[in-house]
Amino acid sequence: MAPRFNFLLHAFLSLALATTSFSLSPKFYDNVCPQALPAIKKVVEAAVHREPRMGASLLRLHFHDCFVNGCEGSLLLDSSSAFETEKNGRGNFNSVRGFEVVDQIKAVVDRVCGRPMVSCADILAVVARDSVVVLGGPTWKVRLGRRDSTTASRALADSVLPSASMDLPALISNFKNQGLNKRDLVALSGGHTIGLSQCVIFRNMIYNATNIDPVFAKERRATCSRTGGNTNLAPFDPTPARFDTAYFKNLVKERGLLTSDQALFNDGSTDKLVETYNKNPNAFWVDFGKSMIKMGNIKPLTRNQVQIRNVN
Ligand code: HEM
Ligand SMILES: *[C@@H]1O[C@H](CO)[C@@H](O)[C@H](O)[C@H]1NC(C)=O
């Protein structure tokens, strides 16, 4: 083949590959397994009914999956000879939970579909949305068709997950690295309208911070002493099992539980947005859904790189 023709052919093939590159769709399982999504929803509803906190824990799993090398189910993999599990990573270890529920859902979905068809990454994305809905929050159309990674990285989990001690510039840059902007940061931090945190995580905030309501700090110190009770839990806002705007109301009153929460309302560039979400639940709901879709799009892997994982 003449070199020139070869070059053109190559260019054509690259273009064809790029334009047929994999994209996610809400209808991905509609024809191949229409029972999948209703089955997932049922298990989530039962799990959250049993323990309301589970909704929060499940939402967080999708976030921690997506931030570490894209939404590809790596968080669910246990250690092997090839890698150490992300579950041991900073931000995950002794903190993320809900894996039994995900395993249960995977088994149910494989059964109703007749074979392993729905990826673990997709399950996490659907479960996150269903959890928010069960707890009274907004809904959105989850884009589907992710494939599961065969590998995981504890080191990457250590380095990319945002930490509770981050200030606003650090949070903005952490989200920017994932292709997420300031609006995504504030909207998605609203995920803390549900769930709980451990004393060891927020101790420094309630004993040392100056941007905290002293009455609130005193309240929290009652169940989180200077030295003991590391695993004692406290809610991020007064309604930890309701997806509402109380999280933002709290921030405006300097009742943020983590340094990274109050950082969003601390005389900085995100104050205005916090006030908007506090006053306008609908604005928060719309933006939360949009940002969840954006987060769910972080680097989805293409078909040939990956697998549809089986249970264990
Ligand atoms: C902005 C940066 C973020 C930081 C620094 C952060 C940090 C944390 C920390 C430290 C905890 C408590 C862990 C513990 O005490 O064991 C937590 C819990 C939680 N996070 Fe975040 N988070 C962030 C963003 C998000 C996002 C984007 C979401 C989801 C959209 C989310 C959802 C949750 C939920 C629902 C819980 C409670 C989980 C439960 O009760 O089991 N967080 N987060
Ligand atoms: C408060 O800050 C000091 C100085 O950084 C630190 O040594 C101390 O451990 C902090 N106290 C708590 C309860 O976190």
Side-chain angles (χ1 to χ4, degrees):
M1 205 183 293
R4 204 173 97 88
F5 181 72
N6 192 15
F7 167 79
L8 281 175
L9 181 67
H10 192 85
F12 174 76
L13 279 178
S14 311
L15 186 68
L17 281 174
T19 49
T20 57
S21 87
F22 195 68
S23 82
L24 304 176
S25 152
K27 298 176 195 288
F28 192 81
Y29 298 107
D30 282 8
N31 291 321
V32 287
C33 184
Q35 314 89 304
L37 268 58
I40 295 174
K41 189 171 186 219
K42 245 173 124 176
V43 184
V44 172
E45 282 171 351
V48 176
H49 188 75
R50 256 193 327 268
E51 189 212 359
R53 186 190 177 192
M54 189 52 72
S57 306
L58 293 173
L59 169 62
R60 191 172 182 224
L61 289 183
H62 180 46
F63 160 50
H64 282 209
D65 181 33
C66 292
F67 264 50
V68 184
N69 208 24
C71 317
E72 30 64 299
S74 58
L75 175 60
L76 303 175
L77 292 172
D78 289 322
S79 293
S80 74
S81 53
F83 54 83
E84 183 182 356
T85 178
E86 288 172 17
K87 294 173 189 177
N88 291 346
R90 189 184 55 78
N92 285 334
F93 188 68
N94 280 341
S95 184
V96 282
R97 58 197 293 281
F99 295 109
E100 339 70 58
V101 176
V102 176
D103 286 348
Q104 192 200 342
I105 290 172
K106 178 66 176 158
V108 167
V109 171
D110 285 357
R111 199 179 63 233
V112 301
C113 294
R115 66 181 170 90
M117 194 181 285
V118 183
S119 65
C120 294
D122 278 351
I123 287 176
L124 290 181
V126 172
V127 155
R129 189 268 318 272
D130 291 349
S131 296
V132 168
V133 170
V134 179
L135 295 175
T139 191
W140 60 93
K141 283 204 163 104
V142 180
R143 270 58 168 173
L144 298 165
R146 298 171 188 81
R147 291 295 178 269
D148 292 333
S149 164
T150 51
T151 186
S153 171
R154 181 236 160 114
L156 193 61
D158 281 345
S159 70
V160 299
L161 290 172
S163 95
S165 60
M166 282 182 170
D167 62 10
L168 186 58
L171 289 166
I172 289 173
S173 112
N174 180 281
F175 271 58
K176 198 174 170 204
N177 289 339
Q178 302 282 355
L180 299 171
N181 61 28
K182 269 200 272 189
R183 183 170 287 264
D184 300 316
L185 167 66
V186 179
L188 290 172
S189 294
H192 288 178
T193 182
I194 53 177
L196 312 172
S197 178
Q198 306 176 72
C199 165
V200 65
I201 306 278
F202 60 79
R203 177 179 283 127
N204 188 42
M205 181 70 181
I206 63 173
Y207 285 98
N208 272 336
T210 51
N211 58 346
I212 189 168
D213 169 9
V215 177
F216 173 68
K218 198 174 160 216
E219 253 169 56
R220 284 289 160 271
R221 288 174 192 163
T223 55
C224 179
S225 72
R226 268 179 198 281
T227 52
N230 278 349
T231 58
N232 291 356
L233 296 167
F236 284 103
D237 75 20
T239 54
R242 208 156 22 168
F243 200 99
D244 54 19
T245 52
Y247 171 76
F248 296 106
K249 179 145 292 140
N250 256 13
L251 296 188
V252 172
K253 293 195 286 193
E254 294 202 313
R255 288 170 161 250
L257 189 58
L258 309 182
T259 303
S260 57
D261 292 319
Q262 198 57 57
L264 305 176
F265 190 85
N266 193 36
D267 296 327
S269 59
T270 49
D271 281 22
K272 260 210 165 112
L273 197 50
V274 169
E275 275 172 339
T276 302
Y277 291 155
N278 171 36
K279 288 191 201 122
N280 187 345
N282 198 51
F284 170 44
W285 281 33
V286 169
D287 283 0
F288 188 79
K290 278 189 196 162
S291 294
M292 284 297 289
I293 290 171
K294 226 170 134 179
M295 186 175 84
N297 282 337
I298 299 175
K299 269 206 272 172
L301 296 172
T302 52
R303 278 167 191 282
N304 19 7
Q305 282 170 280
V306 285
Q307 64 172 358
I308 306 262
R309 195 179 301 150
N310 211 330
V311 171
N312 298 316

